[in-house]
């Protein structure tokens, strides 16, 4: 089943990326990634936020995250971002639990832009305000680098590399996070987003495909993710509504 879904997602992405681009390359800075929402290069010129949910299915259970994430540009080179929400777990082997998730705070610094490639570097900290009942209340720290490169056909390719220290009880584990993606404009209102993210130590690998649709001052966003490793959900569905303030 997973292979069939994965094949369908890849086929869908190939067909979507064959569409003719319409947006200018600068417009695509406002189209944000799904899995690597925070691990990206552009610095915002406006305050923005996404609000919605992510449902993840695992072998023998599922989880639901409901919350918001967004960013604020302090100046032309520095952006601060954060995510906060409510997390619910339900597994066959034990009663379901729910509670507040940790507050994740990110910051990034814009390094360079030569007209085709944007490069930024950033850091992150997870503030342990969440509930231990849902695996929260841990302080994670890390840093990363990210880039966006504009291709001649209008598509934008993205990449990120991070080193993250995860709190695991009384110990810490270092994990490497690698992300790659592509943003392809389909029309003035719609863009498609494909991503691949893998993370060592926690055995997380996921391939996803999403749609970003501009509607007035808001953005309707949805994505389907397929887990390729034991530490990732078998299937993840994300749906959010984004606003610029």
């Amino acid at each position: 089943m997973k292979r069939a879904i994965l094949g369908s997602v890849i086929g869908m992405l190939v067909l979507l990326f064959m569409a003719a681009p319409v947006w200018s390359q600068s417009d695509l800075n406002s189209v944000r990634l799904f899995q690597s929402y925070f691990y990206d290069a552009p610095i915002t010129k406006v305050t923005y936020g996404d609000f919605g949910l992510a449902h993840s299915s695992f072998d023998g259970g599922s989880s639901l995250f409901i919350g918001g994430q967004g960013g604020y540009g302090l100046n032309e080179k520095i952006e601060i971002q954060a995510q906060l929400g409510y997390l619910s777990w339900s597994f066959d082997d034990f009663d379901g639990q729910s509670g507040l998730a940790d507050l994740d705070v990110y910051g990034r610094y814009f390094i360079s832009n030569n007209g085709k490639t944007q490069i930024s570097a950033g850091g992150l900290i997870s503030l342990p305000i969440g509930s231990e009942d849902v695996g929260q209340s841990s302080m994670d720290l890390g840093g990363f680098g990210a880039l966006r490169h504009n291709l001649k056909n209008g598509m934008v390719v993205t990449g990120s590399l991070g080193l993250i220290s995860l709190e695991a009880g009384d110990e810490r584990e270092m994990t490497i996070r690698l992300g790659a993606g592509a943003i392809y404009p389909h029309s003035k209102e719609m863009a498609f987003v494909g991503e691949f993210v893998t993370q060592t130590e926690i055995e997380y690998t996921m391939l996803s495909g999403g749609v970003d649709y501009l509607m007035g001052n808001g953005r309707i966003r949805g994505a389907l993710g397929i887990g390729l490793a034991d530490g990732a959900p078998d299937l993840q569905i994300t749906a959010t509504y984004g606003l610029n303030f």
Side-chain angles (χ1 to χ4, degrees), residues 84-104:
L84 182 63
Y86 189 80
L87 184 61
S88 176
W89 288 90
S90 178
F91 282 89
D92 297 339
D93 296 338
F94 54 86
D95 294 335
Q97 299 286 345
S98 59
L100 186 68
D102 290 337
L103 173 62
D104 298 328

Side-chain angles (χ1 to χ4, degrees), residues 137-202:
S137 192
S138 62
M139 180 177 287
D140 302 330
L141 305 166
F144 63 91
L147 65 83
R148 283 196 181 199
H149 180 71
N150 301 326
L151 302 180
K152 291 182 179 180
N153 67 352
M155 180 162 45
V156 172
V157 294
T158 71
S160 63
L161 178 63
L163 183 63
I164 305 171
S165 173
L166 302 175
E167 182 179 353
D170 296 330
E171 300 180 353
R172 285 196 167 273
E173 296 181 348
M174 297 300 296
T175 177
I176 298 173
R177 185 188 188 280
L178 176 65
I183 302 173
Y184 204 91
H186 177 265
S187 68
K188 280 290 185 180
E189 295 79 23
M190 185 179 295
F192 299 101
V193 183
E195 290 179 78
F196 175 84
V197 171
T198 186
Q199 193 165 332
T200 63
E201 298 302 324
I202 62 174

